[in-house]
mmCIF file of all heavy atoms in Angstrom:
data_model
loop_
_atom_site.group_PDB
_atom_site.id
_atom_site.type_symbol
_atom_site.label_atom_id
_atom_site.label_comp_id
_atom_site.label_asym_id
_atom_site.label_seq_id
_atom_site.Cartn_x
_atom_site.Cartn_y
_atom_site.Cartn_z
ATOM 1 N N ASN B 38 -199.224 83.788 136.528
ATOM 2 C CA ASN B 38 -199.479 83.242 137.878
ATOM 3 C C ASN B 38 -199.806 81.727 137.774
ATOM 4 O O ASN B 38 -200.006 81.162 136.726
ATOM 5 C CB ASN B 38 -200.510 84.063 138.603
ATOM 6 C CG ASN B 38 -201.910 84.026 138.022
ATOM 7 O OD1 ASN B 38 -202.250 82.990 137.274
ATOM 8 N ND2 ASN B 38 -202.791 84.944 138.299
ATOM 9 N N PRO B 39 -199.795 81.093 138.927
ATOM 10 C CA PRO B 39 -200.115 79.592 138.890
ATOM 11 C C PRO B 39 -201.407 79.246 138.250
ATOM 12 O O PRO B 39 -201.600 78.114 137.828
ATOM 13 C CB PRO B 39 -200.125 79.240 140.404
ATOM 14 C CG PRO B 39 -199.292 80.282 141.097
ATOM 15 C CD PRO B 39 -199.547 81.493 140.252
ATOM 16 N N TRP B 40 -202.428 80.138 138.089
ATOM 17 C CA TRP B 40 -203.711 79.926 137.521
ATOM 18 C C TRP B 40 -203.673 80.205 135.958
ATOM 19 O O TRP B 40 -204.686 79.992 135.389
ATOM 20 C CB TRP B 40 -204.820 80.703 138.184
ATOM 21 C CG TRP B 40 -204.895 80.258 139.625
ATOM 22 C CD1 TRP B 40 -205.610 79.328 140.155
ATOM 23 C CD2 TRP B 40 -204.181 80.900 140.725
ATOM 24 N NE1 TRP B 40 -205.471 79.176 141.509
ATOM 25 C CE2 TRP B 40 -204.585 80.208 141.960
ATOM 26 C CE3 TRP B 40 -203.193 81.913 140.877
ATOM 27 C CZ2 TRP B 40 -204.024 80.486 143.121
ATOM 28 C CZ3 TRP B 40 -202.791 82.185 142.117
ATOM 29 C CH2 TRP B 40 -203.147 81.501 143.261
ATOM 30 N N GLY B 41 -202.466 80.608 135.497
ATOM 31 C CA GLY B 41 -202.394 80.843 134.103
ATOM 32 C C GLY B 41 -202.552 82.239 133.592
ATOM 33 O O GLY B 41 -202.236 82.553 132.382
ATOM 34 N N GLN B 42 -202.939 83.150 134.437
ATOM 35 C CA GLN B 42 -203.194 84.487 134.029
ATOM 36 C C GLN B 42 -201.886 85.275 133.776
ATOM 37 O O GLN B 42 -200.997 85.078 134.526
ATOM 38 C CB GLN B 42 -204.008 85.269 135.004
ATOM 39 C CG GLN B 42 -204.401 86.667 134.467
ATOM 40 C CD GLN B 42 -205.401 87.384 135.395
ATOM 41 O OE1 GLN B 42 -205.707 86.955 136.448
ATOM 42 N NE2 GLN B 42 -205.904 88.565 134.922
ATOM 43 N N LEU B 43 -201.797 86.011 132.634
ATOM 44 C CA LEU B 43 -200.648 86.819 132.426
ATOM 45 C C LEU B 43 -200.879 88.115 133.078
ATOM 46 O O LEU B 43 -201.767 88.917 132.643
ATOM 47 C CB LEU B 43 -200.436 86.936 130.944
ATOM 48 C CG LEU B 43 -200.025 85.719 130.130
ATOM 49 C CD1 LEU B 43 -200.086 85.919 128.669
ATOM 50 C CD2 LEU B 43 -198.502 85.375 130.538
ATOM 51 N N ILE B 44 -200.077 88.388 134.060
ATOM 52 C CA ILE B 44 -200.240 89.734 134.784
ATOM 53 C C ILE B 44 -199.169 90.708 134.146
ATOM 54 O O ILE B 44 -197.972 90.384 134.021
ATOM 55 C CB ILE B 44 -199.866 89.538 136.248
ATOM 56 C CG1 ILE B 44 -200.657 88.385 136.907
ATOM 57 C CG2 ILE B 44 -200.011 90.813 137.064
ATOM 58 C CD1 ILE B 44 -202.091 88.668 136.861
ATOM 59 N N ASN B 45 -199.800 91.845 133.698
ATOM 60 C CA ASN B 45 -198.931 92.797 133.058
ATOM 61 C C ASN B 45 -198.021 93.509 134.100
ATOM 62 O O ASN B 45 -198.474 94.014 135.030
ATOM 63 C CB ASN B 45 -199.851 93.789 132.356
ATOM 64 C CG ASN B 45 -199.049 94.886 131.611
ATOM 65 O OD1 ASN B 45 -197.929 94.610 131.179
ATOM 66 N ND2 ASN B 45 -199.612 96.045 131.553
ATOM 67 N N LEU B 46 -196.665 93.379 133.810
ATOM 68 C CA LEU B 46 -195.781 94.104 134.716
ATOM 69 C C LEU B 46 -195.325 95.455 134.251
ATOM 70 O O LEU B 46 -195.359 96.406 134.898
ATOM 71 C CB LEU B 46 -194.480 93.191 134.813
ATOM 72 C CG LEU B 46 -194.660 91.808 135.474
ATOM 73 C CD1 LEU B 46 -193.341 91.047 135.468
ATOM 74 C CD2 LEU B 46 -195.167 91.950 136.853
ATOM 75 N N PHE B 47 -195.026 95.409 132.889
ATOM 76 C CA PHE B 47 -194.594 96.770 132.257
ATOM 77 C C PHE B 47 -195.039 96.728 130.811
ATOM 78 O O PHE B 47 -194.964 95.748 130.120
ATOM 79 C CB PHE B 47 -193.051 96.885 132.346
ATOM 80 C CG PHE B 47 -192.503 97.052 133.716
ATOM 81 C CD1 PHE B 47 -191.851 96.032 134.379
ATOM 82 C CD2 PHE B 47 -192.583 98.289 134.323
ATOM 83 C CE1 PHE B 47 -191.314 96.194 135.632
ATOM 84 C CE2 PHE B 47 -192.062 98.459 135.565
ATOM 85 C CZ PHE B 47 -191.467 97.441 136.251
ATOM 86 N N TYR B 48 -195.443 97.952 130.395
ATOM 87 C CA TYR B 48 -195.626 98.245 129.021
ATOM 88 C C TYR B 48 -194.502 99.204 128.735
ATOM 89 O O TYR B 48 -194.436 100.308 129.225
ATOM 90 C CB TYR B 48 -196.908 98.942 128.736
ATOM 91 C CG TYR B 48 -197.131 99.654 127.482
ATOM 92 C CD1 TYR B 48 -197.289 98.875 126.285
ATOM 93 C CD2 TYR B 48 -197.042 101.007 127.298
ATOM 94 C CE1 TYR B 48 -197.414 99.505 125.055
ATOM 95 C CE2 TYR B 48 -197.160 101.612 126.135
ATOM 96 C CZ TYR B 48 -197.346 100.895 124.933
ATOM 97 O OH TYR B 48 -197.498 101.474 123.782
ATOM 98 N N ILE B 49 -193.474 98.675 127.904
ATOM 99 C CA ILE B 49 -192.285 99.443 127.844
ATOM 100 C C ILE B 49 -191.631 99.261 126.448
ATOM 101 O O ILE B 49 -190.575 98.594 126.347
ATOM 102 C CB ILE B 49 -191.295 99.026 128.928
ATOM 103 C CG1 ILE B 49 -190.048 99.945 128.995
ATOM 104 C CG2 ILE B 49 -190.959 97.504 128.941
ATOM 105 C CD1 ILE B 49 -189.283 99.917 130.280
#
Side-chain angles (χ1 to χ4, degrees):
Chain B
N38 67 21
W40 297 272
Q42 185 173 10
L43 289 169
I44 307 298
N45 182 28
L46 298 175
F47 292 102
Y48 166 74
I49 188 162

